[in-house]
Amino acid sequence: MIRMSKLTDYGIVLLTNMAMGPAGKVYAGQDLAEASRIPLPTVGKILKQLARAGLVISHRGRNGGYALARSSDEISVAEVINAIEGPIGITECGTEVAGSCSLEAVCAARSRWGPISRAIAQALAGVRLSAMRPGRAFPAGPADTGATT
């Protein structure tokens, strides 16, 4: 099973909540925690990672918080995954990071994982944060059969 981490899932949930509001709105971590029912310490940790990646902007002060750095139409799900988990790859050797697997030198399947990981990354790059909002049409991909999960 291919699965992203709970933190990444939460990151997408937090950004989707932010995308549902007006452009430029600043959200307090406490408000995001309450709206998403994600514990406040976890919200803080995720927002810091997203800020380091340039996906949200931190505003200091009494009315501080976080705002989307760009429009939700300009932020891809792939960017969120990269910000929290690192390069997208279904295996360690499927990323562009050399030396991440001790079997690289002898692995017969290694040359096949890179193209598969790139295809997945490309598909995720085509999914915008705005498409994750409830009630929005989800973009059909080349392998979309119309089946629901």
Side-chain angles (χ1 to χ4, degrees), residues 17-22 24-32 47 59 63-68:
N17 278 330
M18 294 171 77
M20 290 172 21
K25 181 175 179 183
V26 177
Y27 294 85
Q30 180 69 41
D31 294 337
L32 288 169
L47 289 171
H59 296 271
N63 294 318
Y66 293 86
L68 292 177

Side-chain angles (χ1 to χ4, degrees), residues 34-136:
E34 289 172 9
S36 64
R37 297 194 175 151
I38 298 171
L40 183 58
T42 304
V43 168
K45 177 180 178 176
I46 293 168
L47 289 171
K48 286 177 186 170
Q49 288 178 289
L50 296 172
R52 275 194 300 271
L55 298 177
V56 297
I57 299 169
S58 172
H59 296 271
R60 293 180 178 236
R62 184 170 166 209
N63 294 318
Y66 293 86
L68 292 177
R70 303 187 307 265
S71 155
S72 63
D73 289 327
E74 297 172 349
I75 298 173
S76 74
V77 169
E79 289 180 276
V80 181
I81 294 170
N82 279 318
I84 298 175
E85 297 198 30
I88 296 170
I90 62 172
T91 62
E92 290 295 323
C93 65
T95 65
E96 301 298 321
V97 180
S100 56
C101 176
S102 63
L103 301 176
E104 276 184 34
V106 296
C107 180
R110 181 172 190 269
S111 65
R112 294 288 150 228
W113 291 124
I116 293 168
S117 292
R118 284 189 295 278
I120 292 169
Q122 183 178 8
L124 291 169
V127 178
R128 299 295 170 192
L129 186 59
S130 59
M132 300 300 290
R133 293 172 22 199
R136 295 291 295 253

Side-chain angles (χ1 to χ4, degrees), residues 140-147:
D144 189 1
T145 61

